[in-house]
Amino acid sequence: SQQGEEDPQALSIQEGENATMNCSYKTSINNLQWYRQNSGRGLVHLILIRSNEREKHSGRLRVTLDTSKKSSSLLITASRAADTASYFCATDSYGGSQGNLIFGKGTKLSVKP
Amino acid sequence: GAVVSQHPSRVICKSGTSVKIECRSLDFQATTMFWYRQFPKQSLMLMATSNEGSKATYEQGVEKDKFLINHASLTLSTLTVTSAHPEDSSFYICSARLWELGPEQFFGPGTRLTVL
């Protein structure tokens, strides 16, 4: 069953603008991860935030986590055309067998040059 | 970084035939491997989790007799779609995890299966 729900489902912005994607989940988590997928390809891990963390940065990426609201956001600053891809949040829940992830539906980001 | 490969990248087969997809961790020994299925414009659905030398754990609704998983070594897992039908057409993605590296999963590039 799917855990995360991202919004928006699709986002179109101009190069240089910031892109914000949100993710909500239902159960308690150990950590939440964001992945990127280019069309027809596998996923690439972007960033992980643990349940006891509230914010994390990695380059142009900024992730926040609000466990009270069971939500997370991914901010990509100064977007580039190469950032065009689908972005998924995935939750690693307490008690999940062997660390399996539950993926959200994803946000399709289009960055126009 | 950790690299995971999948083979083949694309396969087209006739209905009723079986198809084997390989997933290899190239530069690390994976503690656990995962198999996902992704329909067009949808998210990844976990099919099963496998550890080397033990039986795979299938998610609810996934037929273990139809989707055979063999995890013969720490670097290789195979998914065999038996007696494939057009509704099995999908994008199959594997991932691997090494506990010492943390909770991150390393994904293969995926296999596009088309059943005619």
Side-chain angles (χ1 to χ4, degrees):
Chain A
S1 59
Q2 286 194 310
Q3 161 93 299
E5 296 280 341
E6 283 98 334
D7 78 89
Q9 291 187 352
L11 180 61
S12 182
I13 59 174
Q14 293 294 132
E15 210 167 24
E17 294 180 340
N18 295 341
T20 299
M21 289 160 270
N22 302 297
C23 168
S24 61
Y25 57 92
K26 298 175 182 176
T27 64
S28 296
I29 62 171
N30 189 13
N31 63 76
L32 186 145
Q33 303 175 36
W34 284 91
Y35 287 83
R36 165 198 167 123
Q37 182 182 34
N38 285 76
S39 181
R41 306 295 297 274
L43 276 72
V44 175
H45 182 266
L46 294 176
I47 194 166
L48 177 152
I49 187 165
R50 299 187 185 278
S51 61
N52 61 352
E53 297 176 312
R54 292 296 167 258
E55 187 171 313
K56 204 162 184 181
H57 297 255
S58 176
R60 293 185 295 114
L61 304 180
R62 172 177 169 254
V63 170
T64 62
L65 179 65
D66 187 335
T67 52
S68 65
K69 294 181 180 178
K70 291 186 168 58
S71 67
S72 173
S73 68
L74 172 67
L75 168 67
I76 303 175
T77 61
S79 63
R80 305 166 183 168
D83 293 329
T84 295
S86 290
Y87 292 82
F88 295 91
C89 68
T91 52
D92 182 352
S93 297
Y94 286 110
S97 60
Q98 303 174 76
N100 53 296
L101 298 175
I102 306 297
F103 282 83
K105 294 181 179 178
T107 294
K108 188 170 185 177
L109 174 65
S110 176
V111 182
K112 300 178 180 178
Chain B
V3 179
V4 176
S5 70
Q6 267 183 256
H7 177 80
S9 58
R10 289 179 179 271
V11 57
I12 301 173
C13 69
K14 293 182 179 179
S15 187
T17 60
S18 294
V19 175
K20 180 186 283 189
I21 302 170
E22 291 187 351
C23 176
R24 292 181 186 272
S25 56
L26 297 185
D27 51 1
F28 69 103
Q29 293 184 324
T31 314
T32 306
M33 286 186 166
F34 305 85
W35 286 97
Y36 296 86
R37 182 174 180 175
Q38 185 179 32
F39 290 104
K41 299 183 180 180
Q42 293 192 26
S43 187
L44 280 74
M45 298 298 293
L46 179 65
M47 299 175 67
T49 304
S50 73
N51 293 303
E52 182 260 344
S54 61
K55 290 184 179 180
T57 302
Y58 289 82
E59 294 299 301
Q60 193 173 9
V62 177
E63 299 175 58
K64 61 179 68 176
D65 294 331
K66 180 165 184 64
F67 298 100
L68 301 178
I69 292 172
N70 184 284
H71 195 157
S73 76
L74 284 171
T75 59
L76 173 64
S77 177
T78 60
L79 168 68
T80 301
V81 183
T82 62
S83 187
H85 288 94
E87 56 266 30
D88 298 324
S89 298
S90 190
F91 192 54
Y92 292 88
I93 309 177
C94 72
S95 70
R97 177 180 176 177
L98 177 62
W99 287 102
E100 288 80 355
L101 294 180
E104 175 184 351
Q105 290 185 21
F106 302 95
F107 283 81
T111 297
R112 173 75 60 193
L113 170 64
T114 303
V115 184
L116 302 177

